[in-house]
């Protein structure tokens, strides 16, 4: 359709004006024509009537020879201004009468009527009037015959004049014109008013509303989706407006949805771990994400240019196989129906996983191609590492000295076994795999294995078979230590059984041998201890006799030499006795025959007694012994006072022995113990702790500190072993057996405690030990019964 070139607001009024004008002109023209015709008709009628009447009158008057009257008639006619020329012409065409006197008696040919002379004969002939209009239709001429003098007996009058009347229509036409003009003006004015009204109407109903629609469409086209035409009414335009508004609302909604989808897609694209590039069917870049630029190490301005080729060219240099890459890309662009997945290798060792597929609409139109890239360099590396680990594990599994095998849970067939397994059982993998225990082992063994396997599968946890006899092909019966566990699938059902077996045949044999040897050795130790105990006892008695005798001898009068000799005998005897006592104690402890007493005693008294015993020899060496104790120390405790004193004397005598100058400090502290734990703890001391106990148990800690020679660090660990001395020179210088500390530690351990030492060479040593002791039922103040052993009825 050809576009209408003018806007309605102009074209409608223009059309109306044009239409009005044409209408006005046409109606005016018709009116004029009509009026003119009417005027002419009226004039003709009038002229005819007048002509025939006047001709008749004149006829009559001339017959009665009343020429005067005829003259009067003519002059009366002449008073009518419309009658421009009136002539009465005789037979010879001479003017007889006229409204213009000057024309009388003149031939017609000299008057204005001359052009019409030609018609006269005809009129005379026919004896009938003739009417005719002038060329310009201004004048109407009536020509009538008038019988001037009828001759008697004449059939045909011979003297016939002519009445010529010229009627001027000008004034009438003017009046008619003016009337027509007025009417035309009036109707034009009405028409104009009507047109203006019409224009207003159109403006209201059409132009403005159309403009509003047009403006709304333009705004919509410019992206203002919230625009609405909102025309009211129920006409077609209003309907169009409603349709438009619905369309706009639809577009707005769709745009919103599209924008949302677009945003979501964009966000999705940006959030992806993959680099994404989308190219349309003309190989223009439609979309890409930041990750894409990062992966390909290109600035974002490059894809911004929108040309796929530019990107391709810029990345080629960094690729390991650029030709192959280009070929693949080109191939895929030429085969839009194909998807592809492969890897892109870079010169710097990076690997990208590339996936590409066409973008096809649901209607099957091809919109180009989408490319995904993911950096799988690390993945490949870890895969390689995993492979290495797998190889490593496999080699471990293959070379481990244990048999490792896997059976399927369904029918317990071997599905995997390592080399050690092959060697142990004496069957090759080919022989073993796919078979079960009944194919290799005696029935009772196979029954045993199968039952165990079923048990594991039922229980679902590890089974430890400490000793599993198994009949091998060429190594006879072997003893295995086997652990089996079920391997579950995702749903928690057992799928496999994994077994690990250690061949313990040799170890088992060695253990048996060892146990036997140990039993023999223990028996020997026992015998030795008993022997020593007996021997000690046997030696102690004569020794006491020897010492007693030498004391008696010393009381007698002896020469100085004799006294010296006897004194030597006595001191040597006492040393020997001490040694024997030590040995006796030690062997008692070793053979487990030492029983501790459980009697209430005063802790501080015991300590004081030990100090007193050593104070003399200390004083001899110029040493001082100080003792300290904590204030919260329990007064009375239950235990073996003799053995406690023995430990203290031992440590104190060592301190005195190995100290040249300075002081020796003994200190005691105590911590209340948790009752329950103490009663339940240990096997040795519980009797000691429990009997005679009446209240809380205490851990009592003793420390004997000296400023002596100290002990080298490397010797500390050997210190508490029996017969151990730091070095032989010490023995030579200080004497001793090397049993004291060993006995002391064992005693403290029997009392539920322990012993340890801190020492520095040249500065001194501190020996610590602890014992566990319950406080006694009845507490007697220490100072009331000094040195008295409290005896209480046993509970
Ligand atoms: P002995 O009867 O030989 O003293 P002990 O078992 O009592 O046996 O002591 C073993 C060795 O530990 C001693 O020979 C000595 O070398 C070292 N020793 C013990 N107590 C001390 C100490 N207070 N200072 C330095 N050395 C010590």
């Amino acid at each position: 359709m050809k576009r209408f070139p003018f806007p309605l607001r102009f074209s409608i009024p223009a059309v109306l004006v044009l239409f009005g004008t044409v209408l006005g002109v046409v109606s005016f023209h018709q009116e004029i024509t009509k009026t003119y015709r009417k005027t002419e008709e009226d004039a003709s009628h009038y002229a005819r009537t007048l002509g025939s009447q006047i001709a008749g009158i004149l006829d009559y008057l001339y017959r009665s020879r009343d020429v005067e009257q005829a003259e009067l008639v003519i002059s009366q006619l002449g008073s009518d201004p419309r009658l421009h020329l009136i002539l009465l012409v005789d037979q010879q065409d001479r003017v007889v009468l006229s409204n213009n006197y000057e024309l009388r008696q003149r031939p017609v040919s000299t008057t204005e009527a001359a052009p019409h002379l030609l018609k006269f004969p005809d009129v005379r002939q026919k004896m009938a009037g003739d009417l005719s209009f002038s060329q310009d239709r201004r004048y109407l001429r009536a020509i009538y015959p008038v019988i001037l003098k009828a001759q008697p007996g004449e059939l045909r009058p011979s003297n016939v004049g002519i009445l010529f009347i010229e009627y001027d229509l000008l004034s009438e036409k003017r009046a008619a014109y003016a009337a027509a003009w007025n009417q035309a003006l009036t109707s034009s004015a009405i028409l104009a008013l009507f047109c203006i009204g019409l224009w207003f109407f159109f403006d209201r109903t059409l132009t403005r509303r159309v403009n509003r629609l047009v403006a709304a469409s333009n705004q919509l086209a410019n992206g203002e989706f919230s625009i609405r035409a909102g025309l009211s009414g129920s006409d077609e335009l209003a309907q169009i407006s409603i349709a438009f508004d619905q369309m706009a609302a639809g577009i707005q909604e769709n745009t919103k949805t599209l924008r949302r989808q677009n945003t979501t897609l964009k966000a999705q694209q940006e959030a992806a771990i993959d680099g994404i590039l989308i190219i349309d069917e003309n190989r223009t870049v439609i979309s890409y994400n930041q990750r894409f630029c990062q992966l390909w190490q290109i600035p974002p301005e490059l894809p911004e240019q929108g040309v796929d080729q530019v990107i391709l060219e810029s990345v080629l240099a960094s690729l390991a196989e650029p030709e192959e890459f280009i070929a693949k890309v080109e191939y895929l662009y030429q085969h839009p129906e194909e998807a592809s997945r492969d890897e892109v290798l870079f010169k710097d060792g990076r690997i990208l996983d590339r996936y590409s597929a066409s973008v096809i609409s649901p209607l099957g139109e091809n919109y180009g191609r989408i490319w995904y890239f993911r950096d799988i360099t690390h993945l490949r590396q870890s895969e390689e590492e995993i492979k290495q680990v797998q190889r490593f594990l496999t080699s471990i599994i293959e070379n481990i000295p244990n048999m490792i095998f896997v059976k399927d849970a369904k029918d317990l067939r071997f599905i995997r076994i390592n080399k050690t397994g092959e060697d142990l059982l004496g069957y090759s993998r080919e022989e073993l795999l796919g078979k079960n225990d009944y194919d290799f082992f005696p029935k009772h063994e196979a029954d045993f294995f199968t039952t165990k396997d079923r048990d594991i599968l039922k229980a679902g946890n590890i089974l430890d078979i400490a000793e599993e006899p198994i009949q091998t092909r060429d190594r006879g019966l072997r003893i295995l230590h086997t652990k089996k566990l079920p391997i579950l699938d995702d749903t928690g059902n057992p799928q496999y059984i994994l077994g690990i077996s250690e061949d313990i045949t040799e170890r088992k044999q060695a253990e048996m041998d060892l146990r036997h040897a140990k039993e023999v050795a223990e028996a020997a130790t026992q015998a030795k201890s008993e022997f020593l105990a007996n021997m000690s006892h046997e030696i102690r008695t004569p020794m006491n006799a020897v010492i007693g005798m030498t004391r008696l001898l010393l009381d007698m009068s002896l020469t100085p030499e004799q006294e010296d000799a006897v004194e030597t005998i006595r001191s040597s005897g006492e040393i020997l006795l001490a040694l024997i006592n030590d040995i006796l104690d030690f062997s008692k402890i070793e053979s487990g025959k030492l029983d501790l007493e459980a009697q209430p005693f005063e802790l501080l008294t015991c300590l004081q007694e030990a100090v007193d015993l050593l104070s003399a020899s200390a004083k001899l060496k110029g040493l001082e012994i100080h003792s300290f104790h904590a204030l919260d120390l329990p007064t009375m405790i239950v235990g073996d006072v003799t053995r406690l004193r023995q430990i203290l004397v031992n440590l104190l005598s060592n301190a005195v022995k190995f100290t040249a100058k300075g002081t020796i400090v003994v200190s005691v502290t105590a911590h209340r113990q948790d009752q329950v734990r103490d009663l339940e703890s240990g096997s040795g001391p519980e009797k000691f702790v429990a009997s005679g106990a009446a209240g809380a148990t205490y851990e009592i800690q003793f420390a004997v500190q000296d400023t002596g020679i100290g002990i080298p660090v490397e010797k500390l660990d050997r210190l508490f072993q029996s017969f151990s001395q730091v070095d032989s020179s010490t023995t030579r210088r200080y004497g001793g057996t090397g049993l004291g500390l060993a006995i002391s530690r064992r005693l403290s351990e029997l009392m539920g405690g322990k012993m340890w030492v801190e020492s520095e060479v040249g500065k001194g040593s501190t020996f610590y030990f602890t014992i566990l002791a319950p406080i006694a039922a009845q507490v007697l103040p220490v100072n009331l019964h000094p040195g008295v052993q409290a005896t209480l009825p046993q509970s």
Side-chain angles (χ1 to χ4, degrees):
M1 204 172 85
K2 217 174 158 196
R3 243 188 101 204
F4 188 64
F6 307 108
L8 279 180
R9 58 159 29 152
F10 301 121
S11 55
I12 287 178
V15 166
L16 285 177
V17 166
L18 194 72
F19 172 72
T21 313
V22 169
L23 202 69
V25 168
V26 168
S27 77
F28 177 69
H29 183 259
Q30 275 183 346
E31 189 66 34
I32 284 288
T33 316
K34 203 172 97 196
T35 325
Y36 277 12
R37 195 180 304 128
K38 181 94 175 22
T39 312
E40 284 175 7
E41 272 169 17
D42 287 352
S44 300
H45 184 68
Y46 174 68
R48 192 175 294 121
T49 316
L50 191 74
S52 60
Q53 276 180 358
I54 297 299
I57 290 169
L58 289 177
D59 208 12
Y60 167 75
L61 288 178
Y62 268 89
R63 207 168 296 159
S64 57
R65 312 217 181 246
D66 196 351
V67 178
E68 270 175 44
Q69 200 63 38
E71 231 171 278
L72 198 69
V73 168
I74 294 297
S75 66
Q76 258 178 356
L77 274 179
S79 65
D80 187 344
R82 293 176 299 178
L83 299 179
H84 171 250
L85 181 65
I86 309 166
L87 295 175
L88 183 63
V89 179
D90 63 9
Q91 182 72 37
Q92 285 74 41
D93 289 337
R94 207 174 319 168
V95 177
V96 181
L97 292 173
S98 170
N99 58 337
N100 189 346
Y101 281 89
E102 288 168 20
L103 298 179
R104 288 189 181 189
Q105 303 307 319
R106 282 176 48 182
V108 174
S109 54
T110 63
T111 66
E112 285 173 51
H116 307 285
L117 260 176
L118 288 174
K119 287 184 179 171
F120 286 13
D122 197 33
V123 170
R124 282 190 182 102
Q125 176 69 34
K126 286 181 181 158
M127 283 307 283
D130 174 79
L131 283 181
S132 66
F133 281 92
S134 65
Q135 198 81 37
D136 59 0
R137 297 189 84 84
R138 176 175 168 175
Y139 301 107
L140 176 63
R141 285 141 190 153
I143 306 169
Y144 278 81
V146 179
I147 302 165
L148 291 179
K149 254 179 255 167
Q151 301 297 324
E154 229 176 15
L155 260 178
R156 196 176 164 84
S158 53
N159 194 4
V160 179
I162 293 290
L163 179 66
F164 178 89
I165 300 172
E166 193 170 56
Y167 192 113
D168 187 353
L169 279 88
L170 183 66
S171 60
E172 279 178 319
K173 278 204 172 173
R174 275 210 182 123
Y177 186 86
W181 182 245
N182 274 344
Q183 198 172 346
L185 272 185
T186 315
S187 58
S188 289
I190 291 169
L191 196 68
L193 279 176
F194 173 75
C195 284
I196 289 170
L198 206 62
W199 181 80
F200 263 111
F201 174 73
F202 275 130
D203 190 50
R204 280 288 140 126
T205 58
L206 197 70
T207 330
R208 274 196 205 182
R209 298 164 85 218
V210 166
N211 281 344
R212 220 158 108 181
L213 263 176
V214 169
S217 324
N218 286 339
Q219 276 167 289
L220 186 72
N222 286 335
E224 272 183 55
F225 299 115
S226 58
I227 198 73
R228 298 288 180 272
L231 296 188
S232 52
S234 55
D235 60 339
E236 288 80 350
L237 269 184
Q239 312 251 324
I240 291 177
S241 159
I242 290 168
F244 174 86
D245 288 354
Q246 278 171 355
M247 181 183 78
I251 291 179
Q252 186 177 21
E253 196 50 45
N254 283 349
T255 312
K256 221 161 108 187
T257 314
L258 276 179
R259 198 175 297 143
R260 179 185 286 269
Q261 280 177 353
N262 210 28
T263 312
T264 316
L265 278 177
K266 200 78 201 157
Q268 194 179 325
Q269 193 171 308
E270 279 308 325
I273 13 167
D274 294 321
I276 300 173
L277 175 71
I278 306 173
I279 305 284
D280 75 0
E281 68 277 19
N282 303 317
R283 299 190 62 172
T284 306
V285 177
I286 296 297
S287 180
Y288 65 94
N289 63 0
Q290 293 303 313
R291 188 86 189 107
F292 169 77
C293 298
Q294 286 166 7
L295 285 179
W296 282 95
Q297 300 174 337
I298 52 171
E301 295 82 54
L302 214 61
E304 210 80 65
Q305 294 178 22
V307 189
D308 180 41
Q309 204 59 37
V310 176
I311 304 176
L312 279 178
E313 276 161 20
S314 78
V315 299
L316 275 187
S318 56
L319 294 173
E321 292 155 340
E323 289 85 20
E324 221 170 273
F325 176 82
I326 280 288
K328 184 72 188 271
V329 170
E330 292 303 331
Y331 174 82
L332 286 174
Y333 278 129
Q334 267 139 44
H335 297 82
E337 69 288 348
E338 277 188 39
S340 100
R341 177 147 202 186
D342 58 0
E343 285 172 14
V344 181
L345 303 177
F346 282 78
K347 278 182 186 157
D348 62 6
R350 288 190 304 131
I351 307 170
L352 293 191
D353 182 19
R354 169 172 65 177
Y355 175 74
S356 166
S358 291
V359 184
I360 306 280
S361 79
L363 297 177
E365 298 136 311
N366 176 26
Y367 289 154
R369 188 165 270 279
I370 185 160
W371 300 86
Y372 288 93
F373 302 95
R374 183 177 293 194
D375 192 340
I376 52 163
T377 319
H378 293 298
L379 188 74
R380 285 280 170 277
Q381 277 168 4
S382 7
E383 276 172 6
E384 193 44 50
E385 277 159 23
I386 288 172
K387 270 186 209 149
Q388 270 177 20
V389 170
Q390 268 174 351
R391 281 196 289 272
F392 179 62
L393 282 179
T394 311
S395 88
I396 289 183
I397 289 174
E398 278 304 295
N399 298 312
I400 204 167
N402 298 46
M403 168 166 83
I404 297 180
F405 58 89
V406 179
K407 288 174 172 180
D408 72 298
K410 223 174 97 223
D411 35 28
L412 305 175
R413 291 175 194 281
F414 285 99
I415 55 171
R416 216 157 263 199
I417 190 157
N418 68 348
K419 186 154 182 320
T420 313
E422 289 180 300
D423 296 346
L424 178 73
L425 299 181
Y427 297 97
S428 74
R429 229 166 274 195
E430 290 68 40
E431 288 172 295
L432 283 162
L433 297 186
K435 313 248 175 62
N436 68 23
D437 294 326
Y438 289 97
D439 295 321
F440 307 100
F441 309 115
K443 186 173 177 305
H444 68 278
E445 272 182 26
D447 279 345
F448 173 77
F449 300 147
T450 309
T451 326
K452 292 284 177 201
D453 287 346
R454 296 277 175 225
D455 286 351
I456 296 165
L457 293 175
K458 209 179 285 172
N461 51 27
I462 300 184
L463 185 77
D464 195 332
I465 309 165
E467 282 177 37
E468 188 184 50
I470 194 161
Q471 193 64 47
T472 66
R473 186 187 247 178
D474 40 30
R475 295 178 64 199
L477 191 72
R478 307 294 294 175
I479 308 292
L480 304 184
H481 176 190
T482 298
K483 281 187 180 172
K484 288 183 178 177
L485 75 153
I487 296 181
L488 310 180
D489 63 10
D490 291 345
T491 55
N493 292 319
Q495 231 183 346
Y496 305 112
I497 294 175
L498 173 69
I500 302 174
S501 304
E502 189 188 354
D503 186 350
I504 54 165
T505 318
E506 272 80 26
R507 197 176 77 200
K508 209 69 213 162
Q509 189 58 47
E511 261 175 28
M512 267 154 68
D513 294 350
L514 205 69
R515 196 177 304 136
H516 182 67
K518 197 181 164 209
E519 275 164 17
V520 172
E522 273 171 1
T525 313
Q526 183 76 13
K528 183 189 84 183
S529 297
E530 273 170 24
F531 169 76
L532 278 175
N534 290 341
M535 281 309 291
S536 305
H537 186 73
E538 292 307 317
I539 295 168
R540 257 205 317 189
T541 320
M543 211 54 196
N544 276 327
V546 170
I547 293 168
M549 285 303 172
T550 45
R551 283 220 177 97
L552 286 178
L553 259 178
L554 283 174
D555 285 344
M556 291 177 185
S557 52
L558 298 173
T559 61
E561 290 83 23
Q562 285 174 328
E563 205 176 305
D564 272 0
V566 173
E567 180 56 38
T568 309
I569 294 171
R570 192 192 63 84
S571 64
S572 303
E574 268 174 4
I575 289 172
L576 198 58
L577 194 60
L579 175 65
I580 287 165
N581 278 338
D582 276 357
I583 292 175
L584 190 60
D585 277 351
F586 187 72
S587 43
K588 265 190 189 162
I589 293 170
E590 285 291 282
S591 58
K593 280 192 183 148
L594 187 88
D595 288 329
L596 292 175
E597 295 210 354
Q599 293 294 333
F601 66 91
E602 286 175 4
L603 184 56
L604 289 182
T605 310
C606 169
L607 178 67
Q608 194 55 52
E609 283 166 0
V611 172
D612 288 348
L613 226 76
L614 267 299
S615 58
S617 50
K619 207 169 268 171
L620 271 178
K621 291 184 77 175
L623 301 172
E624 276 182 61
I625 303 180
H626 297 295
S627 64
F628 297 100
H629 61 87
L631 288 175
D632 58 356
L633 214 58
T635 318
M636 290 281 281
I637 57 168
V638 177
D640 193 326
V641 67
T642 321
R643 291 304 181 182
L644 177 59
R645 199 190 302 117
Q646 187 183 346
I647 301 173
L648 285 168
V649 168
N650 226 321
L651 295 182
L652 279 169
S653 64
N654 274 348
V656 172
K657 200 176 357 171
F658 297 107
T659 306
K661 62 172 195 288
T663 44
I664 292 158
V665 178
V666 195
S667 49
V668 193
T669 53
H671 303 284
R672 202 190 153 108
Q673 293 291 104
D674 179 19
Q675 193 96 23
V676 180
R677 205 195 74 200
D678 290 337
L679 288 174
E680 283 178 354
S681 72
S683 57
E686 71 195 5
K687 192 170 73 186
F688 164 75
V689 171
S691 68
T697 301
Y698 279 81
E699 185 188 57
I700 302 163
Q701 180 177 315
F702 301 85
V704 180
Q705 188 182 13
D706 64 48
T707 51
I709 59 168
I711 306 156
V713 188
E714 65 275 13
K715 303 284 168 64
L716 282 177
D717 52 341
R718 284 210 336 247
L719 212 56
F720 297 102
Q721 287 170 10
S722 52
F723 306 107
S724 151
Q725 289 165 330
V726 169
D727 62 47
S728 44
S729 62
T730 343
T731 327
R732 258 175 270 123
R733 239 169 97 196
Y734 303 101
T737 56
L739 272 179
L741 284 180
I743 291 169
S744 300
R745 174 182 253 190
R746 290 296 292 133
L747 285 175
S748 74
E749 281 168 2
L750 284 173
M751 292 181 192
K754 56 190 178 187
M755 182 175 282
W756 69 99
V757 65
E758 289 168 5
S759 182
E760 204 179 322
V761 174
K763 290 232 171 111
S765 318
T766 308
F767 281 81
Y768 299 91
F769 73 96
T770 61
I771 60 167
L772 282 181
I775 56 168
Q778 191 182 337
V779 179
L780 299 171
V782 178
N783 50 357
L784 274 182
H785 302 277
V788 175
Q789 181 95 17
T791 47
L792 290 169
Q794 295 236 337
S795 56

